[in-house]
Amino acid sequence: MNRLIFLSSMLFFSVLISHAQEKIKLQGLVKDSVTQEIIAYATVSLFKKDDPKLLVVNTFSDNKGQFVLNSDTGNYVLAIDVMGYNRLTRNIKVYRGMLAELGAFLIKPSANQLQQVTITGQKPLIEQDKDKLVYNVEQDPAAKGESLTEVFRKIPMLSVDGEGNVRLNGQGNFKVLLNGRETAMFAQSVKDALNGFPGAVVSKIEVITSPSAKYDAEGIGGLINIITKKAIFGYNGYLGLHYSSINYSANTNLSFRKGKFAVTATYFLSGNHNNKAQVTSETLPLQAAAYKRRFLEGERITNRFSNSGIFEMSYNIDTLQTIVLYANVDGGNNKNRFTQNITTSFVDKLEQMDFFTQNVKNNFPSYGLGSDFIRKFKGNPDKELSFRFNGQFNRNDGLNTSKLDMASADLFRQNDSYSKNREYTLQTDFIQPFTKSLKLETGAKFIFRDADADYLSLSRTDESLPFEPDYSNSDSFAYKQQVYSGYSSLSFALHKVNFRTGLRLEYTKVEGDFFSSKTTVKKDYTILIPDFSMNTKISKNYTIIFGYNKRLQRPYINALNPFINNNDPLNISFGNPDLDAQTIHNLSFQNRLASGNNFIALALNASYSGNMIVQYTTFNENNGVSTTQYGNTGRNRELSAMFTSAISLKKLNCGVYTTVRYNKIENTVVLTQHEEGFSGQVGGFFFYKPVKSFSLSGSGGISRLPYSLMNTLKANPYYQVNLGYKFFNDKLSTTVNFNNFFSKSLTNRSYTEDVNFTTNSTTTIPFRVVFVGATYNFGKLKENLSKKKGVNNDDLINN
């Protein structure tokens, strides 16, 4: 079968090559009409003479000013475009037997030619496009010295708490893509990956709360697509270094394009040094129990290092076909030391003092490989066929040692863990436009996930004794998940109303063996994912959008694993192998008023999930043990309203955003557990550039996450001011960033309430931070030509 596919592919490419060899070869030279100097990297295009808008073929002059085109016979218009020059056009008749050499083309400089072309126009900081919100990171000067965690704080529909946990449209379950693709970079921890990802690497961030049927149904809150900067024509790169009292980062990027070939490579690292957090937790039984109060107080010291490399290479076979190869290598380690004093109060005896010490070390290497083949079609530039393959591989090696020093006896534990995950994705998509307003998208996708892990628990009651295996607390498992999906999506217009409707079918098969607990998981389920949206322009600047979609979230391995974590015997937790996928229904209504670079948006959203995957805690009054487990037992109803505005003036960009949310969440098994109330986010940002080289920017606000069954968080403020200055013709950018300068530390407060007990927890972390950094750009600062390619891979997420 594989051999047949390979032979078919070779035959397909040989037909393409033989077809290309029948074309007429044309070549010429591009020069400056005044200086007679050659002009490299000029855009040379060939259009049909009877249809000047129909692009037949285009290319670029090389570093010697020469270009080569291949064309069928016929009458054409040849056009040459270069920034800073007037466009040159010439009628060309192509016939068999003609001379290939067209001679020199002399183009005239425009009257307002710039000495160096670096900017073709400034985009607004925030844009909205149908169901997609776009944050143009390149227009945020502070982002060069920030991680994506800090950038996310300024993006409407995203909220970030004081510890860096991100929510999209109020939901903690969402999918993060890198250039439209899944990557192992976010498999370990989205929070940690974003905290190490430099804003200097990113071109823009797309937030999609209502994805079309084209995209995976997984990700309850929607999709976040991080688009990195692409290769420019010629070469370009930068080096960046940033440092603060709590962390550090370094990053570099090199982009190169010559003719049909382009390469982009990025490497970045980040880490923190002895970050300290003060932690408390108080549990109060509301009825007679094994104790009347348990108070935990301690310190957590974290050291983390991570690094990532991203490589992408593309080759335009011709104006209609492009091959993209890409790879990513990630890795790092995390060291965590936790010390805690435990005070237990009783009704009829003295308080008991216990001491808990824990050391955790993790290494998490990963890498990924992939390839895309994208074909456009002659005479119909919007018609597209693509084939994609992606493989992601990651591992996590951990060592967890702990000591619980109790009044009655000591307990020493050592947990060794090893896990690895492999994921393979095959995907094909086809876009067929029938008319200007009628388009069909269809495709199929196959995902194969394979994971296994071993957990070995050792324990002893005296430091002089050897560790003995604790098989009741050890586990190993093998887990396979296969997802087969297909979709069709139709976009059309009736009068002034644009519609998009689609249906996605996903079949999931799960097989798992948790060997030590002798637990097996065998599930398969089919889910239909409908999608519908409509938009219309009420006036030139005012658009309304209505949409409905259904999303799902499959349970993660840690939620399925029945392994019991009992380092603290009075606080145990485990997974549930019987979990099903969670589904959620979303309705949205948007109003958008845009005029130039200014816009105002008001969005109303409603969502419902009746089988939400939740983590909940029950309390045993007799022995005082708190048990935390997973279940499809959550029912959540949510209403929200979002207001966003942005104003772009000559020297000032600013905006405000507000989200007001009300949600009610219930445990359908433990009926006494339920929470409801208002939450949301209020924030603003500004960017002021009084002179060419100096800028002042800032952002701030207050955010509160939705109510949950466990650990509902109080509101958290955030704010920062950034000073930027550029040297050496804007090649060296320096930044000083002042974060949360009014408060040395921030205390995050959370609580859990039940008819049997209440738990109140606090985490105090460093809050006042000063970042300093610099980024140096080098290379030829030419115009970004991604818009002129036969295939545009710069924006893979379109609704």
Side-chain angles (χ1 to χ4, degrees), residues 81 358 362 458 679 775:
D81 295 284
Q358 184 181 42
N362 284 286
L458 306 168
S679 59
T775 301

Side-chain angles (χ1 to χ4, degrees), residues 58 120 123 783-792 794:
N58 74 336
T120 58
K123 296 180 180 179
E783 177 193 13
N784 189 320
L785 297 177
S786 61
K787 295 180 180 179
K788 298 187 175 78
K789 293 193 303 181
V791 176
N792 181 3
D794 190 46

Side-chain angles (χ1 to χ4, degrees), residues 503-684:
L503 189 66
R504 185 179 187 91
L505 178 68
E506 292 195 353
Y507 169 74
T508 304
K509 182 179 180 181
V510 176
E511 294 181 354
D513 287 301
F514 300 93
F515 302 113
S516 300
S517 59
K518 298 180 180 180
T519 304
T520 59
V521 178
K522 289 188 180 294
K523 287 181 177 293
D524 63 278
Y525 46 87
T526 303
I527 299 180
L528 280 173
I529 309 295
D531 160 61
F532 173 79
S533 72
M534 57 178 288
N535 66 83
T536 184
K537 280 194 170 184
I538 304 300
S539 65
K540 180 181 178 180
N541 299 322
Y542 178 42
T543 303
I544 61 172
I545 304 168
F546 172 80
Y548 162 79
N549 73 350
K550 180 181 177 182
R551 306 289 294 167
L552 67 85
Q553 184 68 54
R554 298 180 182 89
Y556 297 116
I557 294 176
N558 64 320
L560 293 167
N561 191 357
F563 171 76
I564 300 175
N565 184 342
N566 63 353
N567 281 335
D568 180 355
L570 293 182
N571 283 289
I572 66 173
S573 61
F574 51 85
N576 179 2
D578 294 323
L579 285 177
D580 289 320
Q582 170 189 347
T583 56
I584 188 169
H585 302 268
N586 297 294
L587 282 172
S588 64
F589 177 70
Q590 297 183 35
N591 297 265
R592 186 174 69 239
L593 181 63
S595 177
N597 290 332
N598 307 315
F599 78 89
I600 297 175
L602 174 65
L604 305 175
N605 298 280
S607 65
Y608 172 78
S609 178
N611 65 339
M612 188 176 183
I613 298 175
V614 292
Q615 199 175 17
Y616 63 96
T617 299
T618 56
F619 183 76
N620 188 316
E621 302 173 12
N622 297 320
N623 58 19
V625 175
S626 297
T627 301
T628 302
Q629 57 190 306
Y630 289 88
N632 290 103
T633 62
R635 180 166 55 218
N636 189 56
R637 305 175 182 88
E638 186 172 300
L639 296 173
S640 65
M642 184 200 75
F643 172 79
T644 301
S645 67
I647 300 174
S648 180
L649 304 176
K650 186 176 182 180
K651 294 184 178 182
L652 175 68
N653 287 341
C654 59
V656 295
Y657 43 88
T658 302
T659 300
V660 179
R661 181 189 308 108
Y662 179 86
N663 80 298
K664 180 179 181 180
I665 185 169
E666 304 167 290
N667 191 331
T668 57
V669 173
V670 185
L671 301 180
T672 56
Q673 294 184 353
H674 50 82
E675 293 287 348
E676 62 181 301
F678 286 95
S679 59
Q681 181 180 23
V682 178

Side-chain angles (χ1 to χ4, degrees), residues 22 39 52 295 353 502 577 628 687 793:
E22 296 175 0
I39 297 178
F295 184 72
M353 296 292 296
T628 302
F687 167 56
N793 293 321

Side-chain angles (χ1 to χ4, degrees), residues 182-252:
E182 295 185 49
T183 171
M185 183 184 304
F186 299 101
Q188 299 288 339
S189 169
V190 171
K191 180 180 74 172
D192 291 335
L194 293 175
N195 194 47
F197 207 114
V201 175
V202 180
S203 171
K204 60 183 176 179
I205 297 169
E206 298 175 336
V207 179
I208 307 170
T209 57
S210 182
S212 72
K214 179 177 180 178
Y215 305 105
D216 292 344
E218 199 160 10
I220 294 296
L223 301 176
I224 300 175
N225 185 32
I226 300 168
I227 299 176
T228 57
K229 296 178 181 178
K230 295 298 178 182
I232 65 164
F233 211 62
Y235 71 94
N236 177 261
Y238 69 84
L239 292 168
L241 296 170
H242 299 88
Y243 184 84
S244 80
S245 57
I246 63 172
N247 55 20
Y248 58 88
S249 67
N251 48 81
T252 184

Side-chain angles (χ1 to χ4, degrees), residues 11 99 145 192 259 383 387 464 478 480 553 583 617 625 693 724 732 746 768:
L11 178 62
L99 294 176
D192 291 335
K383 185 177 179 180
F387 299 93
S464 63
K480 295 182 184 294
Q553 184 68 54
T583 56
T617 299
V625 175
S693 298
L732 177 63
L746 171 69
R768 181 189 298 146

Side-chain angles (χ1 to χ4, degrees), residues 132-342:
K132 176 171 58 182
L133 185 142
V134 180
Y135 187 86
N136 291 305
V137 182
E138 288 181 306
Q139 303 303 320
D140 181 358
K144 288 187 176 181
E146 296 177 332
S147 69
L148 285 190
T149 301
E150 299 302 320
V151 176
F152 274 26
R153 295 185 192 277
K154 296 176 277 187
I155 302 179
M157 308 183 82
L158 299 181
S159 59
V160 185
D161 66 20
E163 293 186 327
N165 298 298
V166 180
R167 284 182 176 259
L168 168 57
N169 204 28
Q171 299 290 338
N173 293 325
F174 53 87
K175 181 168 286 190
V176 179
L177 304 176
L178 182 63
N179 296 319
R181 313 179 187 104
E182 295 185 49
T183 171
M185 183 184 304
F186 299 101
Q188 299 288 339
S189 169
V190 171
K191 180 180 74 172
D192 291 335
L194 293 175
N195 194 47
F197 207 114
V201 175
V202 180
S203 171
K204 60 183 176 179
I205 297 169
E206 298 175 336
V207 179
I208 307 170
T209 57
S210 182
S212 72
K214 179 177 180 178
Y215 305 105
D216 292 344
E218 199 160 10
I220 294 296
L223 301 176
I224 300 175
N225 185 32
I226 300 168
I227 299 176
T228 57
K229 296 178 181 178
K230 295 298 178 182
I232 65 164
F233 211 62
Y235 71 94
N236 177 261
Y238 69 84
L239 292 168
L241 296 170
H242 299 88
Y243 184 84
S244 80
S245 57
I246 63 172
N247 55 20
Y248 58 88
S249 67
N251 48 81
T252 184
N253 172 273
L254 178 64
S255 298
F256 171 80
R257 175 180 289 278
K258 182 178 180 181
K260 299 179 179 182
F261 181 75
V263 173
T264 299
T266 302
Y267 173 78
F268 54 91
L269 62 86
S270 66
N272 60 350
H273 32 74
N274 292 325
N275 279 9
K276 295 181 180 181
Q278 306 297 323
V279 179
T280 70
S281 178
E282 181 184 49
T283 300
L284 296 172
L286 300 183
Q287 298 180 16
Y291 57 84
K292 67 176 184 180
R293 178 179 180 263
R294 193 167 191 251
F295 184 72
L296 297 82
E297 182 178 25
E299 180 180 71
R300 181 183 293 115
I301 300 176
T302 302
N303 287 275
R304 181 179 176 85
F305 171 80
S306 63
N307 61 345
S308 298
I310 305 170
F311 176 83
E312 183 174 308
M313 179 176 65
S314 65
Y315 179 74
N316 294 339
I317 301 172
D318 52 34
T319 58
L320 300 176
Q321 300 171 102
T322 294
I323 292 178
V324 181
L325 302 174
Y326 56 90
N328 62 276
V329 180
D330 311 291
N333 57 76
N334 184 51
K335 298 178 182 179
N336 192 307
R337 177 175 174 81
F338 186 39
T339 58
Q340 194 171 56
N341 298 326
I342 305 173

